[in-house]
Amino acid sequence: MKKHVFYTLLAGSFMFTACNSSYSLVSVEGGRVPITSVYDEQQDQAAWRILQPYRTKIDSLMTPVIGHSARKLEAYRPESPLSNLIADILCEGAKSKLGISVDVGVMNVGGIRNILNEGDITFGSIYEISPFQNTLSVVVLKGEDLLELFQQIAAVYGEGLSGARLVISKDGRLLRAEVGGQPVDLEKEYRVATIDYLAEGNDHMEAFKKAVSRTESDDAVLRNLFIDYVKQCEAKGVFVNAEIEGRIVVQR
């Protein structure tokens, strides 16, 4: 039988138990340890020496500048510049990596883990925004299921969206939805670019589970699509930028 080991931190030491042991876990104690500047002033020198070679290697990979941002881009609900940009990048990636033209792009705000600061963009900048190994997924949804997806997006007051426009109420109800400037056709099939995590129906987007089909590529990692986009902008002499465009509007 495979041994499963549980680790419990108690008073600065580890206690180990295994499933084939006569011991059992009776309690767990925990607390908050504030990470402040005191750790910069009083570094553990032994730990620093162990980590330094790895830090040097990581810095050499993460610090090269690959592009520039025109201004600080943030992600928030109901609509934000950074969530708009990433949803657009997913749509472009579907075309360039999978050869599929999509109708809609969807990215969850919760999956965007940092801001894009004004000025230099490094590899590290993109890794901080997209630290997960999420891959591009193109999902085909019937119109009625796409409408359900939009209702789920409205219920959480917005997500990253491309190719569509939603009007939602202050209490999270979907009032109106358009794709490509037209009302959603319940009988039509729509292609939606998103990430594999959402395509599985996670983060309150259960409508994705009703997909007619789903196409993915392990080579199309969101983080790499973002890096490619930044490099393309730099090659054109263009700063990365995005705006709020009324893709998700809360009716007052």
Side-chain angles (χ1 to χ4, degrees):
M1 181 174 65
K2 182 183 289 186
K3 183 181 291 185
H4 298 279
V5 180
F6 300 87
Y7 304 87
T8 305
L9 183 60
L10 296 174
S13 63
F14 288 103
M15 176 178 72
F16 300 91
T17 65
C19 63
N20 59 351
S21 168
S22 59
Y23 296 100
S24 61
L25 181 67
V26 295
S27 67
V28 176
E29 297 179 9
R32 293 178 179 271
V33 179
I35 304 301
T36 67
S37 59
V38 68
Y39 292 99
D40 295 325
E41 300 164 359
Q42 303 174 18
Q43 295 184 38
D44 184 321
Q45 293 302 308
W48 184 88
R49 284 192 292 272
I50 292 171
L51 294 174
Q52 189 58 28
Y54 300 98
R55 178 179 178 179
T56 301
K57 180 64 174 178
I58 293 298
D59 285 348
S60 70
L61 296 172
M62 294 293 106
T63 56
V65 175
I66 57 173
H68 297 83
S69 177
R71 60 191 181 91
K72 181 171 73 174
L73 303 181
E74 299 178 88
Y76 48 82
R77 294 181 170 91
E79 179 190 349
S80 69
L82 188 53
S83 58
N84 282 354
L85 175 62
I86 294 177
D88 289 345
I89 289 172
L90 285 170
C91 292
E92 293 181 14
K95 182 64 175 178
S96 62
K97 298 296 184 179
L98 302 177
I100 301 173
S101 296
V102 299
D103 304 293
V104 178
V106 174
M107 177 64 191
N108 59 325
V109 172
I112 304 173
R113 293 308 178 100
N114 206 351
I115 65 174
L116 183 64
N117 281 306
E118 180 180 356
D120 292 348
I121 302 175
T122 65
F123 285 104
S125 306
I126 307 303
Y127 272 74
E128 289 174 357
I129 292 169
S130 183
F132 310 112
Q133 197 70 8
N134 294 129
T135 57
L136 170 68
S137 181
V138 174
V139 177
V140 176
L141 290 176
K142 291 181 179 179
E144 59 182 347
D145 298 325
L146 179 64
L147 200 60
E148 181 181 344
L149 176 66
F150 289 158
Q151 290 167 348
Q152 291 164 356
I153 291 174
V156 296
Y157 301 100
E159 299 285 12
L161 191 65
S162 179
R165 182 176 185 272
L166 309 183
V167 178
I168 66 178
S169 67
K170 290 186 290 186
D171 59 352
R173 290 179 296 110
L174 180 66
L175 302 177
R176 189 163 65 255
E178 296 177 351
V179 174
Q182 298 296 321
V184 175
D185 183 342
L186 300 183
E187 302 301 320
K188 181 180 175 180
E189 290 186 349
Y190 293 87
R191 293 176 295 277
V192 183
T194 187
I195 55 175
D196 54 349
Y197 174 74
L198 298 180
E200 293 167 358
N202 293 307
D203 211 1
H204 308 291
M205 299 193 199
E206 293 87 356
F208 275 127
K209 294 179 180 179
K210 299 180 180 181
V212 174
S213 66
R214 177 175 160 186
T215 305
E216 293 179 352
S217 170
D218 292 338
D219 295 330
V221 176
L222 171 59
R223 179 173 55 243
N224 295 339
L225 295 177
F226 202 156
I227 289 171
D228 289 346
Y229 175 80
V230 172
K231 288 181 174 180
Q232 290 165 12
C233 288
E234 188 72 2
K236 298 173 184 176
V238 176
F239 279 27
V240 174
N241 201 2
E243 303 288 345
I244 293 176
E245 301 174 347
R247 300 182 186 187
I248 302 179
V249 177
V250 180
Q251 191 171 81
R252 302 299 179 184

